Amino acid sequence: TGLVRVSDLPGKVSVMVRYQGLGSGFNASVPLGAPANTFPPEKNFIDRLVFSNLRELGVPASPVADASVFLRRVTLDVAGRLPTAAETAEYLASTAADKRDQVIDRLLASPEHADFFANKWTSLLKNRRDDASDITSNFAFHAWVRDSLLANKPYDQFVREILAATGTVIGNPPVAWYKRVKEPKQQQEDVAQLFLGVRMQCAQCHHHPFERWSQNDYYGLTAFFSQVGRKPTATRGEDMIFHKRGAAAAVNNRTGAAVAPAALGTAVPAIAPDQDPRLLLADWMAAPDNPFFARALVNRYWKHFFRRGLIEPEDDIRESNPPTNPELLAALEKHFIESRFDLRGLIRLMVSSSAWQLSSSPLPDNLVDQQNYSRYYPRRLQAEVLLDAIDDLAGTRTDFPNLPPGTRAIALTANSYNTASPFLRVFGRPENESVCECERGQSSSLSQSLHLMNAVDIRGKLASVSGRAEQLARAETTAGQKIEELY
């Protein structure tokens, strides 16, 4: 009937109107109208844009979290682990004015940071191990991703080396992606969703219902992968990836017409038969005026650190799904491009902001806020991080088949360890079958509660003769000192 009612949830709202092939959107703000005059100090442009949005909406911000909370949060979010007791004591005793920034820089340069984010990226890039023939590619690709992050390889170079990979997995590990994603249509869909934040699946059969993408757009993007060739190598299960000489084109299933490469509404010059189309796709993606590439990454990383993307879901960027803070998203995108796609610099910018360091304790007037970042939104730890945290507390390490003793869960290379560890399976570690982060289970369940109460692996950690419980029982410290250590 055309009537839209406003509820008590403050923030930005978008109303989309569609009729046959036409569509339009209306954006507005729904203010709370509470007193919002005092905010924490602004550390960078993130704070200025988050706090100005809160002032406009009349939503106050919670205060900045204390030192202990900050150290725990930044270590978990950047390095995927708890801070050690020694790190905590040293940090709390420090009087340096910039001690928070020092911790951020130390964690970003740590091997644990590379492990943690390699775990994230190899899952999205479908680095799987289904049988023995996958072992070589699985380890090689994971090591390449981890080394790229440890060296802080520019993001555009990281993506380019995957898309344009040729050769064998031994000589060039990024070709492992083409082992998992073999069909040009699937390659196109995964690249669009993961690196551009655009879901193209609907456009294969009909015009996208919520976006401007047509079937020709779908097949034009697919055509970039039409000349990917492969042939068997001496390594069982591993192919050599190469560029097949010939004209790049994809056939529109509905019309039967051949569609030349085209990049989401952007015309591409004619491609010579001996020219690899994937190189032109990578050039287009990394261009400063590309409207998708940098935006998709900064929105994905924003969700990692703030729990909710500026556009949600994080990989569904379209005109009919606008950001909750357009100015902030545009500023992050601009910063990322000007930094030459510096991933570590982007993380440093986010976690050094007062907005990320806010307390998770709500105020009476920001309790209802779910999208404006007036406080830190709590979330459950990922399965691997939680298992490592339990091991750190219990003074034990979970053993994984065919891996050195002491290997942490965040450093695991394959989905196959989910079978070996009931904990990881129950707490939602993904099987690396999808480019969507939604594959990772983040909800709570009764099976998780029962596992923590009476599972064999948890009981074993508590009963270990070399574990913390036994050590504390034998220690001659006071009960208060033991509680302090555990806490």
Side-chain angles (χ1 to χ4, degrees):
T1 60
L3 179 63
V4 177
R5 299 185 184 277
V6 174
S7 69
D8 60 353
L9 187 65
K12 299 296 175 69
V13 62
S14 178
V15 180
M16 182 178 66
V17 181
R18 292 179 63 242
Y19 179 73
Q20 295 183 353
L22 303 178
S24 185
F26 169 74
N27 300 320
S29 298
V30 178
L32 179 67
N37 302 315
T38 304
F39 290 89
E42 295 181 0
K43 299 287 188 64
N44 52 42
F45 69 80
I46 289 177
D47 296 331
R48 174 171 53 82
L49 294 170
V50 168
F51 296 157
S52 65
N53 183 55
L54 292 174
R55 288 190 187 93
E56 178 186 340
L57 297 171
V59 178
S62 294
V64 171
D66 65 29
S68 295
V69 171
F70 165 79
L71 181 64
R72 181 177 186 274
R73 182 187 302 171
V74 73
T75 310
L76 284 167
D77 276 10
V78 174
R81 64 171 177 85
L82 290 174
T84 66
E87 286 174 327
T88 302
E90 180 183 358
Y91 177 77
L92 295 179
S94 173
T95 58
D98 63 341
K99 66 179 186 178
R100 294 197 177 196
D101 293 336
Q102 290 179 21
V103 169
I104 292 169
D105 288 339
R106 174 173 57 80
L107 291 172
L108 284 172
S110 69
E112 293 93 343
H113 168 68
D115 285 335
F116 187 36
F117 276 79
N119 185 43
K120 176 187 183 75
W121 279 108
T122 53
S123 173
L124 296 172
L125 290 164
K126 299 182 176 180
N127 190 35
R128 294 175 51 80
R129 188 192 303 169
D130 294 331
D131 55 51
S133 68
D134 297 330
I135 292 177
T136 300
S137 61
N138 176 258
F139 273 108
F141 191 38
H142 184 278
W144 176 82
V145 172
R146 182 188 183 277
D147 289 347
S148 297
L149 294 168
L150 192 59
N152 196 29
K153 181 179 292 182
Y155 179 63
D156 61 328
Q157 181 183 344
F158 174 78
V159 174
R160 185 185 187 89
E161 290 179 15
I162 295 172
L163 294 191
T166 57
T168 64
V169 70
I170 299 298
N172 190 22
V175 302
W177 182 73
Y178 284 96
K179 176 175 183 174
R180 284 290 157 228
V181 191
K182 293 187 175 181
E183 297 298 323
K185 290 180 182 178
Q186 190 63 58
Q187 291 160 358
Q188 174 266 121
E189 290 177 5
D190 282 11
V191 165
Q193 185 169 343
L194 180 56
F195 298 127
L196 303 175
V198 178
R199 298 183 179 186
M200 293 293 292
Q201 292 86 337
C202 291
Q204 179 179 356
C205 303
H206 51 78
H207 196 288
H208 196 298
F210 302 128
E211 206 25 300
R212 62 184 185 272
W213 311 126
S214 66
Q215 281 185 296
N216 275 347
D217 291 314
Y218 179 93
Y219 290 103
L221 198 58
T222 302
F224 284 103
F225 299 94
S226 61
Q227 297 306 111
V228 175
R230 61 180 71 232
K231 60 183 179 181
T233 66
T235 304
R236 186 170 71 90
E238 301 297 342
D239 292 336
M240 171 181 281
I241 302 299
F242 63 96
H243 167 244
K244 295 185 299 184
R245 191 178 189 279
V251 177
N252 186 319
N253 285 351
R254 184 172 63 86
T255 65
V259 181
L264 294 185
T266 303
V268 176
I271 302 174
D274 58 351
Q275 189 175 13
D276 192 335
R278 298 174 300 165
L279 296 174
L280 276 72
L281 177 63
D283 289 342
W284 169 77
M285 290 170 67
D289 59 348
N290 185 291
F292 309 104
F293 185 64
R295 174 171 295 193
L297 187 281
V298 298
N299 189 57
R300 184 179 297 278
Y301 269 41
W302 183 271
K303 181 171 183 174
H304 174 90
F305 290 102
F306 288 83
R307 199 192 75 172
R308 188 192 192 283
L310 291 163
I311 296 175
E312 190 70 22
E314 72 284 347
D315 54 7
D316 191 14
I317 299 175
R318 46 188 163 84
E319 292 181 8
S320 52
N321 186 27
T324 56
N325 192 326
E327 295 80 9
L328 175 57
L329 182 60
L332 287 168
E333 182 181 3
K334 181 174 182 289
H335 168 86
F336 188 49
I337 294 171
E338 291 178 347
S339 74
R340 298 186 178 180
F341 303 101
D342 181 354
L343 288 171
R344 202 175 288 177
L346 178 66
I347 295 174
R348 182 183 295 106
L349 177 76
M350 290 182 180
V351 300
S352 63
S353 68
S354 292
W356 182 80
Q357 297 180 22
L358 295 179
S359 169
S360 62
S361 299
L363 303 173
D365 287 327
N366 71 11
L367 178 61
V368 297
D369 172 42
Q370 298 178 18
Q371 64 175 24
N372 303 294
Y373 315 102
S374 59
R375 53 191 168 87
Y376 184 83
Y377 303 135
R379 63 182 184 274
R380 207 202 77 199
L381 297 182
Q382 296 178 7
E384 304 91 321
V385 177
L386 184 55
L387 179 55
D388 284 342
I390 290 173
D391 279 343
D392 289 340
L393 175 64
T396 62
R397 285 260 75 88
T398 300
D399 291 328
F400 299 102
N402 304 315
L403 288 177
T407 300
R408 299 180 69 88
I410 61 166
L412 296 177
T413 62
N415 58 299
S416 56
Y417 296 110
N418 296 356
T419 303
S421 171
F423 185 99
L424 295 178
R425 188 171 62 253
V426 168
F427 281 86
R429 187 171 190 258
E431 291 293 329
N432 300 1
E433 294 177 336
S434 172
V435 294
C436 182
E437 303 223 30
C438 58
E439 187 191 4
R440 175 178 289 280
Q442 286 295 94
S443 60
S444 302
S445 68
L446 177 61
S447 59
Q448 294 168 2
S449 299
L450 293 173
H451 194 96
L452 291 174
M453 286 194 289
N454 59 24
V456 173
D457 56 343
I458 299 296
R459 291 207 313 270
K461 295 178 187 304
L462 296 175
S464 171
V465 295
S466 60
R468 194 183 303 270
E470 180 69 19
Q471 293 172 1
L472 289 178
R474 293 177 179 275
E476 300 193 5
T477 53
T478 66
Q481 290 171 322
K482 294 173 182 177
I483 291 171
E484 179 72 17
E485 180 181 334
L486 286 170
Y487 186 82

